[in-house]
Amino acid sequence: MRLSSTRTLYRRYRRFISDHAKSLIDNAVKQNALVVFMKGTPDEPMCGFSRAVIQILQMHGVDEITGVDCLQDPEVREGIKEYTDWPTIPQVYVKGEFIGGCDVMVQMHQSGELHELLVKEKLLDEETNPEPEK
């Protein structure tokens, strides 16, 4: 199934985001240079996709990762999907902009785009290079 088909199907069945969830998400996105809405925490990811996103960011040398554990609040878990119109968790935001989920982060890492973005947004020094893949 294509991504556009998945999004259309998802839009049809979504509910409206609660004020509580929208406020929490807005605050997290606006107050943090980099935030990951994930299952678990950066120190203890609770799913493989969340773990992969954290590992990619750490490989690039990102020291400060703010994580929002979507497992702790069902409204946030569903609300984040509506907030971005993106049906999966984890979701990564840099300087208030939605970047994508695990698949996008993997692609950006492999192409070098992630490093460029992190340097451009001053989350990394230009000299910082990601660890080579083994």
Side-chain angles (χ1 to χ4, degrees):
M1 183 181 278
R2 294 186 348 216
L3 181 59
S4 60
S5 299
T6 303
R7 278 187 156 181
T8 301
L9 183 63
Y10 175 71
R11 275 189 214 124
R12 189 177 309 152
Y13 295 105
R14 72 182 185 180
R15 63 182 181 89
F16 292 101
I17 187 170
S18 72
D19 290 340
H20 161 77
K22 184 166 184 346
S23 175
L24 193 147
I25 294 165
D26 275 339
N27 288 337
V29 168
K30 292 174 183 172
Q31 294 176 3
N32 297 285
L34 187 149
V35 63
V36 181
F37 289 85
M38 60 187 294
K39 294 177 181 174
T41 65
D43 292 333
E44 290 188 42
M46 300 298 286
C47 84
F49 298 112
S50 293
R51 181 177 309 283
V53 165
I54 297 302
Q55 287 176 336
I56 288 168
L57 291 168
Q58 289 172 338
M59 241 191 298
H60 281 270
V62 177
D63 293 325
E64 292 187 39
I65 302 170
T66 300
V68 175
D69 185 356
C70 294
L71 297 177
Q72 298 301 312
D73 188 335
E75 285 185 41
V76 172
R77 183 176 182 171
E78 292 308 312
I80 191 62
K81 297 172 187 177
E82 294 175 35
Y83 189 82
T84 54
D85 197 21
W86 190 262
T88 59
I89 297 169
Q91 295 188 13
V92 179
Y93 292 78
V94 173
K95 299 273 178 103
E97 180 183 346
F98 175 59
I99 303 304
C102 184
D103 55 343
V104 172
M105 293 295 286
V106 168
Q107 290 171 357
M108 289 179 73
H109 165 68
Q110 291 172 341
S111 72
E113 288 177 82
L114 181 58
H115 180 76
E116 291 172 12
L117 173 69
L118 295 171
V119 169
K120 177 182 148 210
E121 296 299 340
K122 299 183 178 16
L123 296 172
L124 290 180
D125 294 327
E126 268 189 74
E127 298 85 39
T128 306
N129 289 315
E131 295 176 15
E133 291 187 33
K134 296 176 182 163

